[in-house]
Amino acid sequence: MKKPTRKKASAKRTPPPRPAKHAGAKHPRSRQDKASVTLDADGKLTFNHAMVYVKDVERGLRFYRDLLGFKLIEDFRYENKPVYARLRAPGGNGTIALHQAGPEASVLSDGVRLYFEVRELDDFCRNLQQKGFHITQLPRMMPWGWRHAYLNDPDGHEISLYWAGENRMKKTVMKAAQKAARA
């Protein structure tokens, strides 16, 4: 069976339909607009958000919005009580959604940990402590070259606050950590 061939770059392509608000002359899109699109320009899958099931959305909002600084994008209320909220990280375009769990549902999430990167990790953790929040592991350098602190949200979901900086996307950091562990 013959494989389909790609069209040459010089071949005219029909662009996908665009919403009316984008019709007319092209305007540069902001970083926020680009990040809110689920599929990238090549139609590849991108990460959208993490759904966190909670026993009390209002309590979750007090933690993620009021303590960690997330910005509320939208919420949904039932009988004047929040049952869903979507929030954006204070830096970047990462989002999470808080979803009300059913009365008998477990919100335990063994095997899942949320990671939030912050350059001034030590200052951020000191600020949380001054507000009375317990950090299960204060910031420390890990063997893989990232500085980590660990805590739990009000429903017990594990969270890592960390700073990796330029090491974040480097594979060589893990190799160095493995080499150090063998020594």
Side-chain angles (χ1 to χ4, degrees):
M1 179 176 208
K2 187 176 177 181
K3 287 185 180 179
T5 57
R6 287 186 168 205
K7 291 182 181 179
K8 291 182 181 177
S10 62
K12 185 174 181 176
R13 294 184 184 175
T14 304
R18 296 172 72 172
K21 70 177 187 175
H22 292 293
K26 282 191 172 184
H27 297 286
R29 295 170 111 189
S30 70
R31 282 178 52 195
Q32 181 178 344
D33 288 342
K34 288 180 184 177
S36 65
V37 176
T38 303
L39 297 177
D40 74 2
D42 295 329
K44 295 178 183 168
L45 183 72
T46 62
F47 182 77
N48 184 282
H49 71 278
M51 177 78 74
V52 180
Y53 287 89
V54 297
K55 287 291 184 182
D56 182 335
V57 173
E58 189 63 48
R59 182 179 68 180
L61 282 168
R62 285 192 302 271
F63 176 77
Y64 288 99
R65 180 192 59 207
D66 302 341
L67 195 60
L68 295 186
F70 278 71
K71 306 295 181 205
L72 183 64
I73 296 171
E74 67 177 325
D75 68 347
F76 178 78
R77 296 174 175 269
Y78 178 74
E79 295 180 351
N80 208 26
K81 181 181 176 193
V83 293
Y84 173 87
R86 194 161 53 98
L87 304 110
R88 186 179 67 206
N93 291 306
T95 64
I96 61 170
L98 305 177
H99 194 292
Q100 182 74 46
E104 304 300 319
S106 171
V107 295
L108 293 178
S109 56
D110 291 341
V112 175
R113 181 182 292 148
L114 300 174
Y115 283 76
F116 303 116
E117 190 168 18
V118 56
R119 180 184 299 269
E120 302 300 330
L121 178 61
D122 292 84
D123 292 341
F124 193 86
C125 289
R126 265 193 296 282
N127 187 33
L128 290 177
Q129 287 180 307
Q130 288 171 354
K131 293 178 179 178
F133 196 81
H134 176 70
I135 297 175
T136 57
Q137 177 191 296
L138 292 172
R140 72 176 194 203
M141 183 58 74
M142 304 306 277
W144 51 89
W146 298 12
R147 191 161 172 74
H148 277 264
Y150 294 100
L151 55 120
N152 295 317
D153 79 0
D155 286 289
H157 300 105
E158 289 185 308
I159 294 175
S160 175
L161 300 175
Y162 75 97
W163 175 248
E166 64 186 29
N167 292 332
R168 184 167 179 258
M169 300 304 264
K170 289 184 178 178
K171 291 182 182 181
T172 56
V173 172
M174 290 303 290
K175 290 178 184 176
Q178 291 168 345
K179 184 178 177 181
R182 287 190 296 262

